[in-house]
Amino acid sequence: AQTVTQSQPEMSVQEAETVTLSCTYDTSESDYYLFWYKQPPSRQMILVIRQEAYKQQNATENRFSVNFQKAAKSFSLKISDSQLGDAAMYFCAIFSGSRLTFGEGTQLTVNP
Amino acid sequence: DAGITQSPRHKVTETGTPVTLRCHQTENHRYMYWYRQDPGHGLRLIHYSYGVKDTDKGEVSDGYSVSRSKTEDFLLTLESATSSQTSVYFCAISALPTGGSDTQYFGPGTRLTVL
C-alpha cells in the first residue's frame, strides 16, 4: 500500500511571491513516480509537474519546481512569481504498481 | 488536451436506481481508470482497466462494477445507487506500460447526486 500526506489543508500567498506546498509519501516500491495536479474551480484535474523517483535532478516546469528528497520521502512544490490564476486545489500523488494514490489536497489562495 | 469525455456531466437520481457513467477516449490508450472525489479524501480509485475486457478493483470498489468492451469506452455502473455514492466521478487514461507514459490525464468529471 502507498500513502500520501499533505499536511497543509490551506495556504495563501501574495501575488508575485513564492509559496511552497508540502507533501510526504510512503511506498514499499523502489520504482515510482510523483506528481502534482492542480484543480481550479472548473474541477478539471490539470497536471502541473512530474518526477521520476530514479532521477536525482528536481523537475522544473516554468514557475513550478519540486524539491524531491527521496530518503525523507518528501516531494514539495514551489510556485514562484505566484499569479491569480494559480489559485486552486493542489494534489500530490504517487504512482506505482499501476495505481495512482492522491493526498487530500492543499487549497491555495493568491491575494492581489 | 487529452481527448477524454464523460457523460453525463451531471445526474440526479434516486436511491435504489441503476446508474451508468460513460468515459470515452480518442487517444487509443490502454489504461483507463475511474475515481471518485469527496471532500477530505482527494481522489480515490474505484476500478481500472488495462485492456479490453481486463479490469481490476481499486480501493473503493464496493457497490460499483465496470465494463470495457472497446478500447475507447469504459463504463462505470452503480447497480443500486445509495446516498453514500453521491460524489464527483473522474475518468482518467494513461498509455502504460510504454516507458515514461505513466502520466494519467483526466476527464472533466461527472457530478452524481443520489437522493
Side-chain angles (χ1 to χ4, degrees), chain A residues 42-44, chain B residues 4-6 9 88-91 106-110:
Chain A
S42 67
R43 207 168 62 199
Q44 179 71 49
Chain B
I4 312 168
T5 57
Q6 293 183 230
R9 294 292 312 280
V88 179
Y89 291 86
F90 285 94
C91 175
F106 287 81
T110 293

Side-chain angles (χ1 to χ4, degrees), chain A residues 33 35 37 39 42-47 50 52 89 91 95 97-105, chain B residues 9 31 33 35 37 40 42-43 48 56-58 88 90 96 100 102-104 106-109 111:
Chain A
Y33 299 81
F35 300 86
Y37 283 89
Q39 187 179 41
S42 67
R43 207 168 62 199
Q44 179 71 49
M45 292 290 289
I46 301 167
L47 177 67
R50 171 180 177 272
E52 295 96 331
M89 181 74 85
F91 291 97
F95 178 88
S98 299
R99 302 190 177 202
L100 188 63
T101 300
F102 288 85
E104 294 182 3
Chain B
R9 294 292 312 280
Y31 280 70
Y33 305 81
Y35 294 87
Q37 183 178 26
L43 277 76
Y48 70 100
D56 201 356
K57 295 180 179 180
V88 179
F90 285 94
L96 283 175
D102 52 280
T103 301
Q104 291 187 22
F106 287 81
R111 181 176 292 279

